[in-house]
Every structure is written in C-alpha cells, then in structure tokens.
Amino acid sequence: MELLKDRIKKDGKVLSEHVLKVDSFLNHQIDPELMLAIGKEFAERFADEKITKIVTIESSGIAPSVMAGLYMKVPVIFARKRKSLTLNDDLLTATVHSFTKNETNEISLSKKYLSNEDRVLVIDDFLANGQAALGLVEIVEQAGAQIAGIGIVIEKSFQEGAQLLKEAGLRVESLARVASLSNGEVSFVNENVEELV
Ligand code: G4P
C-alpha cells in the first residue's frame, strides 16, 4: 500500500535494526484519515472472504480494525491484555509471549462475542515474531469459529512471524512489508520481484 509506505518513509523513525517507531501516526498519535484508507484496503483485500467479525488486540490494533469494520460492516472485538473489572466470566484465553518486550501476557476475550458460525479476520498493527497473531488465532479456534485471514499494517519480514503464520496455512495480507531496518533506513520487500521467484 503505497500511501502507507510513503508515510513510513516520511515519519517512521528507525530506533534499531529491529524496531521501527511510528508513534506519530499509528502507535500513539493516530492519523484517522490514514486509518480510514487502511481499513478500506483491508476490506478490499478480504472482500471475498465472507467475514462476520474482526478480532484484534489492544491497543494499537484497535484503530485500523475499527476502520476495516466500518467498511466491512462487521463488529470488531479486541482481546484484552489486562484483567478487566467487567470482563470476568466465560473468557477465552491464550498466553502470548513477546520476545521484543520479554514479557508474557494472558490475553482474553469474552466467549459471548464469537460463535462457531463466525468467519474471522484477525488484524494487528505490527507483525514481528507472530506471537500475538497466533494467540488471537488460538482464541478464535477455541470459539469454534473459522479464521478467514490475518491483516497486518506493518510486517517486519525479517522476523519469523509471517512465515510461521503462512506455515500454519493462514492467509496473511500485510499492507507494508519491511525487509530491513539496517543503517537507519527502512527498506521494503520488493513485491514484484518476489512474485516472479
Ligand atoms: P509478535 O506479537 O509479532 O511476536 O510481536 P512482539 O511480541 O515482538 O511485539 C510486542 C509489541 O511490540 C506489540 O505491541 C507490537 O506491536 C510491538 N512491536 C513489535 N515490533 C515493533 C516495532 O518495530 N515497532 C513498534 N512501534 N512496535 C513494535 P504492544 O505491546 O501490544 O503495544 P500496543 O499494541 O499496546 O501499542
């Protein structure tokens, strides 16, 4: 998605060989117009999948998911990372370990919002090692629902997440695929070249 890649080039900050900071439009301050365009792009890519629900994880997955839900006219459910005062019974849970942050969270979502009739699109802001996405897939499967695919705003293709999800037979659509963050520069996967391989 060229609009997103241009914005990453313009406003993204490379913090290290592994970390890209996009706080000015995605992870802290949010650009609603860009989120709207991202939502439209997800809706178009998954148009044939008969999606009934979008599942994401708090907090940065929520904005792009809500915009996709707006276009697809389906509800958005976000998994919580912390215990909620009101979300206390009949929970679906999965344990997610973040290698980046070196922390483990139990993520949870209420059983009542997913059923075995749902076809779910999982959306997240970043795909690094794939652990959050795999945790969300596990929760959706616990509900007996089907996974239609995974929509990612920024994939760091040099980490193993995308490969793990594809190996699990999942359709992954990433709007920007970062090939490397070396030398303080963002370079993207050349999709045209890859298609020929
Ligand atoms: P994984 O789920 O793919 O295995 O990812 P990982 O554990 O590495 O990521 C943990 C958190 O760090 C996630 O946010 C993820 O979005 C974020 N993250 C990973 N790589 C980057 C990066 O290069 N840049 C930025 N800005 N974030 C990255 P989180 O803790 O869930 O935060 P939030 O959703 O509440 O913002």
Side-chain angles (χ1 to χ4, degrees):
M1 181 183 174
E2 291 308 314
L3 184 71
L4 174 63
K5 291 202 266 186
D6 290 347
R7 188 61 177 271
I8 293 170
K9 281 275 186 202
K10 183 165 151 276
D11 292 333
K13 303 267 176 290
V14 176
L15 291 193
S16 71
E17 296 226 326
H18 298 283
V19 180
L20 173 67
K21 185 169 161 124
V22 284
D23 271 25
S24 65
F25 59 93
L26 180 60
N27 288 142
H28 193 31
Q29 175 172 264
I30 295 172
D31 179 342
E33 284 185 271
L34 179 64
M35 292 306 125
L36 199 61
I38 284 171
K40 185 165 185 259
E41 181 79 21
F42 281 136
E44 285 169 2
R45 292 195 190 200
F46 290 99
D48 297 334
E49 293 284 357
K50 298 190 170 62
I51 285 155
T52 62
K53 296 265 167 91
I54 293 172
V55 167
T56 187
I57 183 165
E58 64 174 342
S59 54
S60 303
I62 297 175
S65 297
V66 168
M67 295 309 192
L70 196 62
Y71 276 103
M72 299 171 106
K73 299 188 170 41
V74 299
V76 177
I77 314 161
F78 66 92
R80 293 187 185 265
K81 291 181 198 151
R82 285 159 230 97
K83 292 264 176 290
S84 150
L85 197 62
T86 55
L87 188 68
N88 44 26
D89 51 8
D90 284 334
L91 294 180
L92 302 165
T93 61
T95 302
V96 172
H97 179 72
S98 166
F99 293 101
T100 307
K101 295 192 166 175
N102 195 23
E103 63 182 28
T104 301
N105 284 302
E106 175 142 297
I107 64 169
S108 55
L109 185 151
S110 174
K111 271 183 191 162
K112 70 175 170 221
Y113 296 120
L114 279 179
S115 82
N116 58 8
E117 294 185 352
D118 282 314
R119 260 183 82 70
V120 174
L121 171 61
V122 169
I123 288 182
D124 207 358
D125 58 335
F126 268 94
L127 177 59
N129 296 300
Q131 298 305 302
L134 285 169
L136 293 173
V137 167
E138 190 182 324
I139 281 182
V140 170
E141 286 175 346
Q142 280 173 31
Q146 281 182 327
I147 299 279
I150 316 282
I152 297 293
V153 180
I154 303 176
E155 170 189 313
K156 293 191 292 181
S157 308
F158 54 88
Q159 292 181 264
E160 66 181 7
Q163 199 186 332
L164 276 179
L165 296 175
K166 286 173 193 165
E167 279 170 10
L170 297 161
R171 175 180 174 195
V172 181
E173 290 286 341
S174 302
L175 306 190
R177 300 174 67 209
V178 175
S180 126
L181 295 172
S182 298
N183 307 317
E185 282 217 14
V186 184
S187 46
F188 295 103
V189 172
N190 185 339
E191 318 256 359
N192 299 332
V193 168
E194 215 187 35
E195 272 167 23
L196 295 174
V197 175

